[in-house]
Amino acid sequence: MASSLDIERLLSERVKEIETSGIRRAWSLAQACEDPVNLSIGQPDFPVHDAIKQAAIDAILEDKNGYTQTAGDAALLASIHLRLHGQYGWDFSGDSHLQAMVTSGTAGALTLACLTVLGPGDEIIIPDPYFVIYPTLARIAEAKAVLCDTYPDFRMTAERIERCITDKTKAVLLNSPANPTGVVLNAQEVADIVTLCKDRNILLITDEIYDEFVFPPTEHSSPAVTSDDVLVIRGYGKTYGCTGWRMGYAAGPKPLIDAMLKLKQQTFVCAPSVLQHALVQAYEIDLAPLIARFAKRRDMVVDILGDVTELVVPDGAFYAFPKIPAGHNMTGLEFISKAVEEDVLVIQGDVFSKHDTHFRISYAVPEDKLEHGLRTLRKLLS
Ligand code: PMP
């Protein structure tokens, strides 16, 4: 039965403006498939490590179900401090000017960061292509997302960022390794961005959700290497195969984290308590075999599609963003419709971009399915 309320009148302009049509179109096409090769989902295909599962079970059995501190459970925070100290020498002891907080997913940290820093009239520079929620986060903060066009090599360099800066710019949002391209910036590129942002008094927010998914010999370069005046945002979901647990964290200058905590206290309150306990030992797990497996899948993508598309070789995350060859004269949506007819799901580029020339593949799927899906795409692209 339809609602008797005029819901349309009740909706805020904020929510009406949120653009979901691109993804909806992709999903509605997918309804036609019976047993698709699904290369559209951005989540890992491996189970949670037994040690983490056991820690979650123990936490439940030990009745660790209450609220935690807003900033997070002390043991999990200590493991985050240790991690950032080991990686970048960040010091959280005593009267350090740094602080960390546990968040409800990486998206929770990004939401708090944007609402804390941005307001009406402010601008945040984001990459194009971008992770889908970035423009929305700017919009809900009533700010403007300024797109930094990174085509055709998808490198968000200081030079490209500088062209987007105005006197309204408050933040730059960096995502390396990147969704949807898999591009990983090198140490010099990242250091140049740090310098640019410092010189212009702009907050650098670094979304490092894929920091562990980097394929040797490439290494992950974080702005945290050269600066502790950046906001580092990370997640557990992709790395440990628990996207639905909604766990992440943010770390950076204390006054900024304090402001984010004020907002968190009156919105999310705290991240799920049991799952905070579950992840205390996460950083002790050896991820090397897993990363080697993802590197092989990346190689498979490049081997099968590399000579029929323009493909920037991804060095990280688990995505590739090939171009639809110009000779095919197809929009992204037209291409993915053809792929759906062959039972392969990918996502058209305009979901992530103002351009509609590419499509995204997620290769976080078992090798046999991946190979079948890639060979089908190859046929369509040849
Ligand atoms: N940032 C990027 C670049 C992502 O790809 C995603 C998830 N796809 C997120 C943030 C959100 O992650 P989470 O599920 O931890 O909120």
Side-chain angles (χ1 to χ4, degrees):
M1 207 169 71
S3 170
S4 59
L5 292 172
D6 178 2
I7 302 288
E8 193 58 23
R9 188 191 75 83
L10 302 179
L11 297 180
S12 70
E13 290 309 313
R14 180 181 306 113
V15 86
K16 282 184 197 165
E17 274 176 16
I18 295 175
E19 180 60 66
T20 55
S21 54
I23 301 170
R24 265 208 312 269
R25 270 180 311 201
W27 286 113
S28 63
L29 280 173
Q31 301 302 314
C33 298
E34 258 184 22
D35 181 22
V37 177
N38 193 344
L39 308 183
S40 76
I41 295 188
Q43 77 177 345
D45 58 320
F46 51 85
V48 172
H49 193 284
D50 283 345
I52 296 180
K53 283 185 189 165
Q54 192 57 52
I57 292 165
D58 291 347
I60 292 174
L61 294 177
E62 288 161 20
D63 298 315
K64 293 184 171 167
N65 304 308
Y67 297 124
T68 67
Q69 295 290 318
T70 303
D73 167 71
L76 185 60
L77 279 173
S79 76
I80 293 166
H81 295 168
L82 196 65
R83 180 74 168 174
L84 291 170
H85 186 262
Q87 288 184 306
Y88 311 122
W90 279 28
D91 178 12
F92 293 87
S93 62
D95 56 0
S96 162
H97 77 285
L98 289 167
Q99 197 174 339
M101 68 190 284
V102 181
T103 57
S104 300
T106 316
L110 288 166
T111 305
L112 290 173
C114 286
L115 290 174
T116 297
V117 173
L118 302 174
D122 294 334
E123 294 179 1
I124 178 168
I125 298 171
I126 66 168
D128 179 356
Y130 46 77
F131 169 47
V132 282
I133 75 170
Y134 291 172
T136 306
L137 292 178
R139 242 178 251 139
I140 61 178
E142 296 178 62
K144 180 175 163 196
V146 175
L147 303 186
C148 176
D149 194 318
T150 64
Y151 287 78
D153 58 10
F154 306 128
R155 307 194 82 80
M156 189 168 171
T157 58
E159 201 190 341
R160 285 173 172 160
I161 293 169
E162 190 162 20
R163 282 188 235 131
C164 301
I165 296 177
T166 72
D167 56 3
K168 296 185 177 132
T169 309
K170 279 204 161 168
V172 168
L173 180 45
L174 193 68
N175 176 219
S176 170
N179 178 5
T181 63
V183 165
V184 182
L185 296 184
N186 64 40
Q188 188 59 55
E189 287 170 320
V190 172
D192 289 347
I193 296 169
V194 170
T195 307
L196 174 67
C197 290
K198 267 197 175 161
D199 287 351
R200 308 293 280 266
N201 194 33
I202 292 168
L203 176 67
L204 181 56
I205 304 173
T206 171
D207 176 351
E208 302 186 355
I209 185 167
Y210 300 105
D211 62 335
E212 303 287 350
F213 291 88
V214 178
F215 311 130
T218 302
E219 288 177 7
H220 178 236
S221 296
S222 171
V225 174
T226 56
S227 172
D228 55 13
D229 264 334
V230 295
L231 183 64
V232 174
I233 291 181
R234 289 185 175 167
Y236 292 94
K238 311 276 180 180
T239 316
Y240 299 101
C242 55
T243 47
W245 285 13
R246 315 303 310 131
M247 289 291 297
Y249 66 87
K254 194 171 184 325
L256 183 62
I257 299 290
D258 273 339
M260 287 167 67
L261 282 171
K262 274 202 296 186
L263 206 53
K264 185 172 180 211
Q265 178 137 43
Q266 304 205 12
T267 51
F268 298 97
V269 182
C270 67
S273 57
V274 162
L275 305 176
Q276 291 193 55
H277 295 294
L279 287 162
V280 171
Q281 313 290 336
Y283 283 136
E284 288 167 27
I285 293 170
D286 177 17
L287 297 170
L290 180 77
I291 302 309
R293 189 162 172 200
F294 274 74
K296 283 211 176 107
R297 291 174 176 178
R298 183 276 313 267
D299 293 345
M300 197 189 274
V301 174
V302 177
D303 287 347
I304 297 179
L305 296 184
D307 64 337
V308 292
T309 58
E310 199 178 303
L311 175 65
V312 175
V313 175
D315 287 317
F318 35 70
Y319 308 108
F321 201 57
K323 187 170 183 186
I324 302 160
H328 284 253
N329 232 343
M330 267 191 281
T331 63
L333 192 63
E334 284 163 350
F335 177 73
I336 70 154
S337 312
K338 289 242 173 282
V340 161
E341 282 169 23
E342 304 290 329
D343 284 334
V344 177
L345 306 185
V346 287
I347 300 189
Q348 75 275 20
D350 73 351
V351 166
F352 313 96
S353 176
K354 69 174 190 300
H355 301 284
D356 190 19
T357 45
H358 292 61
F359 64 95
R360 189 188 79 172
I361 295 171
S362 162
Y363 51 87
V365 288
E367 288 71 11
D368 52 339
K369 280 222 157 198
L370 178 62
E371 179 165 4
H372 176 71
L374 291 171
R375 296 218 176 273
T376 306
L377 292 172
R378 181 183 169 87
K379 255 194 293 162
L380 294 174
L381 292 163
S382 298

